[in-house]
Amino acid sequence: MIQFFKLGSRDRLVVLCILFVLMQGPFLFLGNHIMVPELLWIRLGERLAAGWRLYAQVQDENGPLSALVYAGLAHSGLGDFHIYRYLGSGLIFIQALWFNNLTHRFGLFNDRGYLVAFFYILFAHLGPDGLSLTPAMMATTFILLAYGRLFKLIKSGANSEDAMYMGLGLGLAFGFYQPSILFIIPFLVSALFFSGFRLNQYMIVLVAALLPAGFCYTFFILGGGEDVFWSCLLKPFRIGFLVSWSDWDLMLSLGTFLVLLSLWGWAIANQNSKVNFQQLGFTVFFFGMLAAGLQMFLGSMQSTFLLFFLVPHVSFFMAQLMANTRGFLFQEITGLLILLVMLGSFYGMSEPSFGKRIMGHRLFSEEPPKGFVIHFSGKRLLLLSDDFRYYKYNPAATAHFKNYLSGMQPEYSQTYEGLIYWYQILAEDPPEIIYDPRDLIPALAVRIPEFGKCYKSSFYPHLYEKIPGREFGKTPASGRL
């Protein structure tokens, strides 16, 4: 198998496509369980497609460009988790071929073949959420484009045009997944050591990288909501996740496996390659691997898709390992073992019950209680909890989209500012039902009499439903705040 993809021809490309379908097919066409991250991305897209604005009217930490993609899919009627997985798989295949072509175009391999693309596809099977249309996957697309500009700068000499496009690629990656801006550090270090960058070209890179965020911030200044802009935009820059769908043992085992394979390939490649430009490329990707490894510790939502930034680096170094080692049997056995480990762990995680009990993750959304589904399905929900299974059959209402981002506390109903915040949340987009397992509503209802005129307790525990014909914010209250 490894020997087959060392050559570059059309029949090899056809076989790679078939192998890709065989790897992805069972998950894409037989997987009928939605994952919690997918559910949240779909609900985010629906709300934005309905005209609400990110951050200001939908409290969410996703990058503005990722949110725009989800909104576009929802607006086009494509807000389905199967569509997300088809698009994600297609993007992986495009990235694999483009990255494979990049390594050959700049002479990082002596022979043309599809080894890099093969390993890229293989290592993309980190977890079931990694094959969906994740912010990390979309950000990686522009990081790869930035790598192309960086190697052009190293090979052809520093120039302002390529510096601008490299910075813009990193800025767009930031717009999809904010912590990916950390890649600017290894990119600038590589440019410093290997391209002869001048001071003004460093400034061009920095300014170009900040442009997407600048345009987004300008939009919020003009439309209101700039107070929450920085809070939501910078929320992923944190060590210590607010919610976790994958435990640390799973994340660290997968991440360590990829990093060790990368270091192995890096060491072998440096020992065997005599081409100076190839050795520069090894160092560039080594710097990038360090930034990619750091990504798994950053974010507000812990999930295996954070490991996707390692995929280009480990695929490049493993391809170098196979290209620079002798022994047909060694290469085939090593490739087969990696194939079994990656696909075995991937399909183990992709089976919801096995993945939860044995692999220790909670990626797949569980069913909400039957009583809730039967009586309240389809009603717009204010969810005062991080139990997101209640979003499975109910769209989101109010700006309070994710409870862990709002910081909503019982003390809010004890202060004038807190009551104003509650009133604004409810009046801007009155929900049809409110699920309140933390019992925040009773104290609020005492201090805002209008709430009792518009909502009543239902038979379902901790659930309030709207009184027909009443609308919060439009019904006169008998008391004052």
Side-chain angles (χ1 to χ4, degrees), residues 24 101 130-131 150 178 255 264 450 465:
Q24 311 280 89
N101 181 60
L131 292 188
L150 176 60
Q178 296 92 309
W264 185 23
E450 185 179 353
E465 57 182 335

Side-chain angles (χ1 to χ4, degrees), residues 153-376:
L153 286 166
I154 295 174
K155 191 168 187 177
S156 304
N159 64 83
S160 298
E161 181 181 358
D162 288 323
M164 180 188 68
Y165 283 118
M166 184 179 77
L168 188 60
L170 294 172
L172 291 172
F174 168 82
F176 283 101
Y177 184 69
Q178 296 92 309
S180 61
I181 196 64
L182 295 179
F183 275 95
I184 199 170
I185 298 175
F187 272 70
L188 291 181
V189 170
S190 299
L192 172 65
F193 289 158
F194 308 130
S195 71
F197 252 33
R198 297 187 299 274
L199 180 61
N200 68 311
Q201 290 164 339
Y202 282 105
M203 296 302 298
I204 290 173
V205 173
L206 293 173
V207 170
L210 292 174
L211 277 177
F215 281 119
C216 183
Y217 184 53
T218 302
F219 171 80
F220 274 85
I221 290 176
L222 295 176
E226 65 273 12
D227 293 339
V228 297
F229 173 83
W230 292 113
S231 175
C232 291
L233 185 73
L234 301 180
K235 189 67 72 175
F237 289 97
R238 55 176 290 118
I239 297 178
F241 300 97
L242 296 173
V243 291
S244 297
W245 313 124
S246 304
D247 291 335
W248 274 115
D249 54 352
L250 181 61
M251 294 283 291
L252 289 177
S253 59
L254 284 171
T256 302
F257 179 66
L258 296 184
V259 170
L260 290 177
L261 288 179
S262 299
L263 292 175
W264 185 23
W266 174 78
I268 295 298
N270 273 286
Q271 290 177 1
N272 291 277
S273 178
K274 304 300 181 183
V275 181
N276 289 334
F277 191 79
Q278 288 184 3
Q279 292 181 342
L280 294 181
F282 304 155
T283 305
V284 169
F285 282 116
F286 181 82
F287 290 157
M289 183 191 67
L290 297 179
L294 182 60
Q295 302 288 324
M296 66 181 289
F297 299 100
L298 296 177
S300 57
M301 182 173 66
Q302 186 181 29
S303 189
T304 52
F305 75 80
L306 298 177
L307 298 170
F308 195 85
F309 293 104
L310 283 167
V311 171
H313 306 86
V314 66
S315 62
F316 173 77
F317 284 125
M318 280 309 300
Q320 289 288 353
L321 173 70
M322 296 303 173
N324 289 285
T325 54
R326 297 179 180 179
F328 169 85
L329 189 61
F330 166 79
Q331 293 177 5
E332 294 301 324
I333 291 177
T334 302
L336 181 61
L337 287 175
I338 293 174
L339 179 69
L340 292 176
V341 169
M342 294 304 301
L343 292 185
S345 63
F346 172 78
Y347 278 103
M349 286 188 281
S350 299
E351 208 291 313
S353 59
F354 184 84
K356 183 177 181 179
R357 288 185 292 106
I358 306 300
M359 307 298 285
H361 71 74
R362 296 164 297 281
L363 282 170
F364 289 94
S365 176
E366 298 179 354
E367 287 290 321
K370 289 185 178 179
F372 182 88
V373 176
I374 292 173
H375 296 283
F376 304 105

Side-chain angles (χ1 to χ4, degrees), residues 430-433 454-456 464-472:
E432 294 179 272
I433 55 175
C454 299
Y455 292 93
K456 63 179 180 179
Y464 300 84
E465 57 182 335
K466 191 178 76 167
I467 298 173
R470 302 294 180 91
E471 193 82 8
F472 191 90

